[in-house]
Amino acid sequence: MDFNSSFIQYDYWLVKFEYLRWLFDRKFRHVIVDSGIQDIKDGKHYSKTFLMQYGYKAKYFTEIFDEKIWFVSPDYPCEKQWRGEESIFERMINTVKIAKFMKQKFPEVNWLFVLQGGGALDYLKCSELYKKANIDLARIGLGTVCKAKGRNRIFYATNIVRKLYPNAYIHAFGLTMRYIE
């Protein structure tokens, strides 16, 4: 039995960038493509080569799949193991800078921009950075809730973002099964 014939078809997917080619062999209603943090050069910044490659592939796949596919703008997670000595605010600034670059360079892509922060109030700060950059947040990825411990922290953060953007699509990254309701 080959891989394709044994593969379960799902309506909704979250796919890593490196697996984009699999989409041609699958049936789905909607997919979100994550850029992946593994491509941050030296643990600090994305290379210009990666950003351009990601953007051109996002443009190509958007032309094929239209609204069925959204791409996560490369972001800078704020968890301590990823940020090293950088402050959470520096990570938020870098996330918004990349989002602005991707939006300007590849405006036809269905971007899902990421709100980053270490706590719920940081999402307010990050939101302000997006407003200053003139970026509409109709589709939001809520960063730094990956494997979060503490239901109240997750609910508080998602409630703040929902109040800020009542009509936005919100995707919370990496919630563990314990917190998915």
Side-chain angles (χ1 to χ4, degrees), residues 27-148:
K27 293 178 185 172
F28 58 88
R29 191 174 302 173
H30 183 72
V31 66
I32 295 173
V33 179
D34 193 358
S35 63
I37 189 160
Q38 67 278 3
D39 294 299
I40 292 182
K41 182 181 174 184
D42 301 324
K44 292 286 184 182
H45 298 285
Y46 292 96
S47 70
K48 179 87 169 195
T49 302
F50 170 78
L51 293 175
M52 295 304 289
Q53 177 189 26
Y54 185 69
Y56 282 118
K57 284 193 178 181
K59 179 180 175 183
Y60 173 74
F61 277 82
T62 299
E63 289 170 0
I64 294 169
F65 293 109
D66 197 29
E67 277 296 318
K68 288 175 66 172
I69 192 167
W70 297 349
F71 285 82
V72 177
S73 180
D75 64 304
Y76 291 87
C78 292
E79 292 94 344
K80 183 65 176 166
Q81 72 266 26
W82 293 111
R83 68 179 158 90
E85 299 303 314
E86 286 184 305
S87 71
I88 289 171
F89 191 66
E90 288 172 305
R91 301 294 277 188
M92 290 188 292
I93 288 170
N94 287 332
T95 292
V96 175
K97 281 182 184 176
I98 293 290
K100 186 174 182 176
F101 172 80
M102 299 307 274
K103 179 186 175 218
Q104 289 174 342
K105 187 75 177 164
F106 304 99
E108 57 283 304
V109 172
N110 303 315
W111 292 113
L112 184 140
F113 296 112
V114 181
L115 281 176
Q116 280 295 350
L121 295 179
D122 290 329
Y123 297 113
L124 291 170
K125 291 178 193 172
C126 193
S127 173
E128 286 300 315
L129 293 172
Y130 275 103
K131 285 178 185 172
K132 287 179 184 175
N134 199 30
I135 296 175
D136 177 38
L137 294 177
R139 293 181 287 263
I140 299 169
L142 189 56
T144 316
V145 291
C146 296
K147 300 187 177 155

Side-chain angles (χ1 to χ4, degrees), residues 115 124 127 131 136-140 157-170:
L115 281 176
L124 291 170
S127 173
K131 285 178 185 172
D136 177 38
L137 294 177
R139 293 181 287 263
I140 299 169
T158 54
N159 285 334
I160 283 177
V161 174
R162 174 54 65 212
K163 285 178 183 165
L164 287 171
Y165 301 97
N167 299 315
Y169 172 88
I170 299 172

Side-chain angles (χ1 to χ4, degrees), residues 119-120 123 142-162 170 172-176 178-181:
Y123 297 113
L142 189 56
T144 316
V145 291
C146 296
K147 300 187 177 155
K149 294 185 177 28
R151 174 173 282 179
N152 289 340
R153 178 178 170 255
I154 296 167
F155 287 156
Y156 186 59
T158 54
N159 285 334
I160 283 177
V161 174
R162 174 54 65 212
I170 299 172
F173 285 101
L175 295 179
T176 60
R178 180 177 177 189
Y179 299 116
I180 295 178
E181 294 183 356

